[in-house]
Amino acid sequence: MTARDRVARELRHRVLLGSLKAGDRLDLDALAEEFGTSRTPIREATLELANDNLVKLAPRSGITVLGITASDLLDNFEIMADLAGMAAGWAAIRATAEDVDRIRTRCDAVVSASETGSDVALANFEFHRSVNQASHSSRVMALIAQTARLFPERFSDVVPDQVPCSLREHAELVDAIIDRDRARAQHLMVNHFQDAAVRLRGHLHVEDDPLIPAQ
């Protein structure tokens, strides 16, 4: 990961989960000092965020955070739920024996990370990527990657109760893929993201959204 990628990833995470709020100004020099780099990768990272409409660049006013509304963030969970559900359903009928072994291994790695204090977010990312890859659909994987640009990567850091729920849900999903149960795998993955949206909604203290089932 380049310095630009590292900075863009962290700044995007801060905007998506609200530690950088709409109206906040970004100081290139302060960020360069924080990340231990020159101003160039910081400027490049902010250009990337501007392309995602998360910040605004202006010659005189500098860099201003536009942010993202809680509603937009929750909508993104709904989009991801449908796409990831489709990938999981296809994985159940298309996964090779090697794919299944990889999914099992990545599922176990999430459990291990949660028990040892390792990087749960990274282990979770690798698990979901293994399921997406097992769909053998480059199209759905491209759409998931596009949606993920406005999706909080380190969700479990902000909503800790997501971890124990994810462990149970991951295990059920692996069983459905092993059983070649397309409908169940898709249903489980959709619910996995929708339930995460409910937990995030509680963290953001937003009012109930009729499109997102309440627990």
Side-chain angles (χ1 to χ4, degrees):
M1 183 178 295
T2 65
R4 182 200 65 188
D5 292 338
R6 179 168 57 88
V7 173
R9 183 175 183 176
E10 177 58 26
L11 292 180
R12 182 179 289 108
H13 173 72
R14 294 178 188 181
V15 173
L16 291 178
L17 290 179
S19 59
L20 283 175
K21 297 178 170 52
D24 286 349
R25 302 286 289 278
L26 299 184
D27 185 321
L28 292 179
D29 291 326
L31 289 171
E33 182 177 354
E34 177 186 351
F35 288 99
T37 185
S38 68
R39 287 166 54 102
T40 299
I42 305 296
R43 189 179 299 278
E44 291 173 347
T46 59
L47 285 171
E48 186 175 319
L49 266 64
N51 289 334
D52 290 333
N53 206 37
L54 296 178
V55 303
K56 179 180 180 180
L57 309 182
R60 295 182 180 179
S61 58
I63 306 166
T64 304
V65 176
L66 296 176
I68 186 170
T69 67
S71 178
D72 286 342
L73 187 56
L74 292 169
D75 283 351
N76 216 41
F77 270 82
E78 287 290 300
I79 296 169
M80 185 66 86
D82 286 341
L83 292 172
M86 186 178 298
W90 280 338
I93 59 175
R94 297 177 180 176
T96 65
E98 182 178 322
D99 290 330
V100 172
D101 286 342
R102 184 181 301 110
I103 291 170
R104 279 172 164 166
T105 299
R106 299 283 166 78
C107 182
D108 292 342
V110 180
V111 175
S112 177
S114 69
E115 293 174 344
T116 61
S118 301
D119 194 337
V120 175
L122 178 59
N124 182 71
F125 169 78
E126 294 291 351
F127 169 74
H128 280 277
R129 183 166 67 170
S130 69
V131 175
N132 295 338
Q133 290 173 333
S135 73
H136 293 279
S137 170
S138 58
R139 182 58 180 157
V140 78
M141 288 178 64
L143 290 171
I144 287 172
Q146 181 180 354
T147 303
R149 290 179 63 83
L150 295 178
F151 194 84
E153 295 182 10
R154 308 194 67 82
F155 181 71
S156 58
D157 291 352
V158 181
V159 187
D161 59 334
Q162 174 68 17
V163 175
C165 295
S166 289
L167 299 181
R168 181 186 68 252
E169 293 163 0
H170 287 178
E172 293 174 352
L173 177 62
V174 172
D175 287 342
I177 292 174
I178 291 172
D179 292 342
R180 301 295 181 182
D181 189 334
R182 177 179 182 175
R184 179 163 174 74
Q186 182 167 353
H187 174 75
L188 287 168
M189 186 64 90
V190 169
N191 282 354
H192 180 55
F193 277 92
Q194 288 182 335
D195 289 348
V198 171
R199 296 180 195 110
L200 179 61
R201 182 176 59 193
H203 169 75
L204 297 174
H205 305 295
V206 297
E207 295 181 359
D208 287 350
D209 186 328
L211 296 179
I212 302 175
Q215 287 183 327

